[in-house]
Amino acid sequence: MSYRSGRHFLQIPGPTNVPDRILRAMARPTIDHRGPEFRTLAREVLDGIRMVFQTHQPVVIYPASGTGAWEAALVNTLSRGDQVLMIETGHFATLWRDVAVDLGLDPVFIPGDWRHGVDPDEVQSRLVEDSSHAIKAVCVVHNETSTGVASRIPLVRKAIDRAGHPALFMVDTISSLASMDYRHDEWGVDVAVGASQKGLMLPPGLSFNAVSEKALQAHAKAELARSFWDWGPALTANQKGMFPYTPATNLLYGLREALEMLDFEGLPQVFARHDRHAQATRRAVDAWGLEVLCSNPDEFSSAITAVMLPTDQDGMAARLLEIVLDKYDLSLGVGLSKMAGKIVRIGHLGDFNDLSLIGTLAGVEMGLGLAGVRHQSGGVDAAMSHLAA
Ligand SMILES: *Cc1c(COP(=O)(O)O)cnc(C)c1O
């Protein structure tokens, strides 16, 4: 591989670019996790992370990728054979379903076309049919990172309420947290699953469960085997600024820095910044004469845009990705499972500004040309006009 000058453009939808401030914060000696200095750090991050989930309730932090926090959400609240209502919005919803199957749960999986989010009416009718309340949880991915479709969580909450159903409501916020509005308390979510490597601008390695009172009541009765993932010992230790095992101290340094940055910018400003960059990206896609995978404008993701490539031009997605990496040191997201070879995904979340977006889109536009993807030029111009307006 030849020498690459300048910055790598890591525009996959997670992990995202880690700001220098956060890298520096993590490059410090690890300290005694039972000492007074650690307790201050633990209290700061355990308190601060609640701001990001917009909750006053506890958040459990795991030294694990998001997949671990998926498992934690289920094993802490459910028992073997419990039905869980899950919806096939894309790759990540399917993987969460697989976790449920592995754990001995009984997922009711509503099929989807990967171009739409969760249909609240469908959730309502499934729950109304379930008059014996066999369904114990409704599990939804907020921002489906494999498709760029964002489900409308408040509408799903209303659907559960309209059905008068007591199921727990669990939401995967992994790629929406700290990039798109997510309100744990106001939206009445019982367990939210988050991870460090997307909107939080951290390296992979931390994940989260934000937990409601109702979820804690379910925890007291849940019978699935749990040990490492058990909320109980974590919540008890956390009250003293401790963890029940050796915590990922240096990632927690990074988390403290990220929380400070997000607090300084302000969550509403963070969300508005992502909305605007997503709009500019869609202008570019339109101008290229290409189509965004998400079919419903009310469900456009502000964190990632999936672009469909011409179906009659085989192998173009792989070619485009290879060319932009080779020529421009730009990493874009591949299409996952059902979307393999059909789309490319542009991540525009995390530590990102107007010029990083324009650089990214310029890389895509030049790559479309070099790869020979049928398109029109002018996408970057359209995005610039939007940003400058
Ligand atoms: C990235 C992602 C995951 C997977 O998390 P890992 O950290 O890779 O285990 C799950 N759900 C969504 C929505 C994601 O974006």
Side-chain angles (χ1 to χ4, degrees), residues 13 65-68 70 92 141 143-145 172 174-175 195 197-198:
S65 89
T67 303
W70 268 343
F92 290 102
V141 174
N143 184 62
E144 183 46 87
T145 322
D172 171 342
I174 293 180
S175 64
Q197 74 272 27
K198 303 192 181 182

Side-chain angles (χ1 to χ4, degrees), residues 70 74 86 91-105 107 109:
W70 268 343
L74 302 175
M86 300 175 119
H91 180 66
F92 290 102
T94 307
L95 289 181
W96 199 6
R97 188 275 314 260
D98 294 346
V99 173
V101 170
D102 288 344
L103 294 171
L105 298 168
F109 201 45

Side-chain angles (χ1 to χ4, degrees), residues 228-260:
F228 178 74
W229 303 115
D230 195 346
W231 293 337
L235 292 173
T236 306
N238 285 172
Q239 280 174 358
K240 292 183 268 166
M242 314 258 276
F243 285 79
Y245 44 73
T246 314
T249 305
N250 290 56
L251 280 169
L252 298 178
Y253 290 147
L255 176 57
R256 174 163 64 187
E257 195 71 18
L259 292 171
E260 221 177 278

